[in-house]
Amino acid sequence: MKRPIPWSDQVDIDVDVISSDESSPSDSDVKVNNFQAPTLQEIAPEAEDSMIKRAEMYQEYMKQIPIPTSRGSVIPFITWMGLGKSIKQLYRQPLHYLTNVQLKQWDRLRIDSADEDKPLDTIIHPCKAEATVWLLEEVHRRTVSHYHVAKLWQSDPLHHAFVDSIFPQL
């Protein structure tokens, strides 16, 4: 059963937006839900070094995994997270931390939509959806800075839930 969130319980999100020709905002410029995540500089140097090293190793590992060029079959799916799970099983590959986070976010965006209860594969063709996930995965594997990943991990104590433990033979 759907229950609307009372106005008093809804959360405001403040995000500074910059254009591509401006310098990037400092860590203190972006606040989500009035929560200010600690910057890497505010964390103990040992923990900071360890997190950066883990993120660097993770990002380097993910760069080595080739994106599949041929598709195995059409994958039926109900949710984005379900599609991600099926992709991992079919191709025996992990998906990047940021891809997993994005898939969960896309599922959240469907809540209270007119088509919330419809299986996604009846709304978006499975081949297009899978291609979208692989494109997103390629961007995350090839272009994301390990410093950015470390910063996200440091601000999210539950980040391990989105780091796949399936490791293929390279």
Side-chain angles (χ1 to χ4, degrees), residues 14-16 25-32 35-37 151:
D14 301 323
V15 178
D16 291 339
S26 68
D27 293 336
S28 61
D29 288 340
V30 177
K31 293 181 182 177
V32 177
F35 168 75
Q36 183 63 44
K151 185 176 166 184

Side-chain angles (χ1 to χ4, degrees), residues 40 48 51-52 55 145-155:
L40 287 176
E48 176 185 340
M51 187 67 73
I52 290 172
S145 161
H146 66 278
Y147 290 110
H148 180 72
V149 172
K151 185 176 166 184
L152 292 173
W153 286 356
Q154 194 65 46
S155 67

